[in-house]
Amino acid sequence: MWDAHACLPLDVKTPISLLDNYIAGDVDYVCVNVGMDMNSIAHIMRVIASFRAKIAAHPDKYMQIECFDDLAIAKSKGLLGVGFDLEGSVMLQDMPEMIPVFAKLGVTQIHFAYNRNNSVAGGCHDTDIPLTDLGREMVKATNAGGMIMDCSHTGRQSSLDIMKVSTKPVVFSHANPKVLGGHERCVDDEQIKACADTGGVIGICGFQRFIKSPNAPEVPDMIRHIDYAVKLVGIDHVGIGLDTMPSVPGTDDFPDGIDRAYYWPAHRGYGPGAGGAAVFDPKKLPALADALIVEGYTPDDVDKIMGENFLRVAKECWTV
């Protein structure tokens, strides 16, 4: 059971016990965000240090995943494997050499733009631009550095360019088919097909705004998006990336002086009163697996959707 993207508050005060929701959902591996384009390197380093220390302090429940073989070790011990991801590339400081540095700190996955354009790639809530020359070097560094190349939050043209440049599978770790979700953060059929053509996986996101459900997403909402993606690109290219976002009083992802509305623009459906921010509960993932069987998926199909497809990608991308 693999959740390709989850968020915890990016704060040293964040309790690592928030990960227990994944344990309760029989999850074997979860990839946790540790920084976005608006976060400074100092902020991100503090978060990584804090999360790593808290994971290590509970060896009875969690295991930091440092390489592919660690996944089997964590599974055999009944531990929740935890990896990290970065949402954006500003923290790379225009240096491809930063990729292996973050990889050594446990970052296993990265996408290059968080909603807005930067020097590397275009964001999904900005002018649609191609991948830059620097971006092409960054893709090569990501392939060589043992990270999964992700295109979530990335602009359409940049995502298509990334998938042309990459020599390893590319994923949308947490995204939804635009034909169903409708939102600008969703991805269209051409993007999904291009992802599958690399051998990659689209992780169906459980975020209400992007899954387009009137209430907190439930099993039928997830199945609707899974069915569409499976029919479009096949069973080998669909997985789960819930994008859970628990809140903790007294914590804040945004540094002082950063305009939230820039990254989460109100005219794109964000901000106070916008609604749609509920997320599918990871504790319901076993129910989702059972429901897929009822819907006619074979046990092997369900295994692929719930984790084995992303496991395959990890084996290809993390092996350097």
Side-chain angles (χ1 to χ4, degrees):
M1 196 85 83
W2 184 293
D3 186 350
H5 178 75
C7 292
L8 301 181
L10 298 177
D11 196 298
V12 297
K13 299 188 293 294
T14 295
I16 208 67
S17 59
L18 291 173
L19 293 177
D20 291 353
N21 282 334
Y22 301 94
I23 295 174
D26 293 339
V27 174
D28 297 300
Y29 173 83
V30 62
C31 194
V32 176
N33 171 242
V34 290
M36 298 176 280
D37 267 346
M38 74 284 291
N39 303 122
S40 68
I41 289 181
H43 184 163
I44 292 169
M45 292 300 290
R46 288 195 299 271
V47 169
I48 290 174
S50 173
F51 285 6
R52 286 185 65 95
K54 291 174 182 178
I55 290 165
H58 297 279
D60 57 323
K61 294 199 292 186
Y62 320 121
M63 179 175 170
Q64 186 81 48
I65 299 302
E66 309 278 7
C67 65
F68 182 79
D69 289 344
D70 284 347
L71 292 167
I73 296 171
K75 176 79 171 175
S76 69
K77 293 182 177 181
L79 303 174
L80 174 65
V82 183
F84 296 150
D85 67 52
L86 291 170
E87 297 195 273
S89 58
V90 173
M91 70 290 294
L92 302 179
Q93 298 288 286
D94 291 347
M95 294 177 62
E97 297 89 346
M98 290 290 285
I99 293 284
V101 174
F102 278 111
K104 289 181 182 295
L105 297 175
V107 176
T108 59
Q109 181 174 289
I110 187 170
H111 58 257
F112 286 161
Y114 185 79
N115 293 348
R116 292 295 191 171
N117 297 352
N118 57 37
S119 61
V120 172
C124 63
H125 294 323
D126 213 324
T127 305
D128 192 27
I129 64 170
L131 186 69
T132 68
D133 289 341
L134 175 60
R136 294 174 184 275
E137 294 304 311
M138 290 293 192
V139 174
K140 295 174 184 177
T142 300
N143 288 163
M147 285 189 198
I148 295 173
M149 185 71 249
D150 187 2
C151 282
S152 305
H153 291 272
T154 307
R156 184 179 187 278
Q157 188 59 55
S158 285
S159 73
L160 294 173
D161 291 344
I162 286 168
M163 290 182 279
K164 288 178 183 177
V165 174
S166 179
T167 58
K168 293 190 176 183
V170 177
V171 307
F172 288 101
S173 67
H174 56 298
N176 295 78
K178 185 172 285 187
V179 70
L180 298 181
H183 197 275
E184 200 169 36
R185 240 278 281 136
C186 298
V187 291
D188 65 26
D189 287 4
E190 184 180 359
Q191 290 171 287
I192 296 170
K193 289 177 181 178
C195 170
D197 286 345
T198 71
V201 179
I202 176 171
I204 299 301
C205 174
F207 202 89
Q208 182 184 1
R209 184 175 294 126
F210 312 133
I211 209 167
K212 203 173 184 179
S213 59
N215 301 301
E218 297 291 346
V219 166
D221 301 305
M222 295 291 292
I223 290 179
R224 183 164 55 96
H225 285 253
I226 289 169
D227 280 345
Y228 183 87
V230 168
K231 289 173 183 174
L232 184 66
V233 293
I235 199 71
D236 293 328
H237 304 289
V238 182
I240 303 295
L242 294 183
D243 198 15
T244 49
M245 297 179 64
S247 60
V248 176
T251 63
D252 193 352
D253 291 343
F254 275 81
D256 291 340
I258 297 294
D259 181 10
R260 291 172 183 268
Y262 175 71
Y263 287 98
W264 297 341
H267 66 288
R268 310 296 195 199
Y270 298 91
V279 184
F280 184 80
D281 187 343
K283 296 192 293 294
K284 296 179 180 178
L285 285 170
L288 173 60
D290 291 342
L292 287 168
I293 294 289
V294 173
E295 289 291 316
Y297 287 87
T298 69
D300 285 346
D301 290 342
V302 174
D303 285 345
K304 288 182 177 182
I305 293 168
M306 302 308 293
E308 287 186 358
N309 287 336
F310 271 118
L311 183 69
R312 168 182 54 79
V313 169
K315 186 174 183 179
E316 292 187 52
C317 293
W318 294 354
T319 303
V320 295

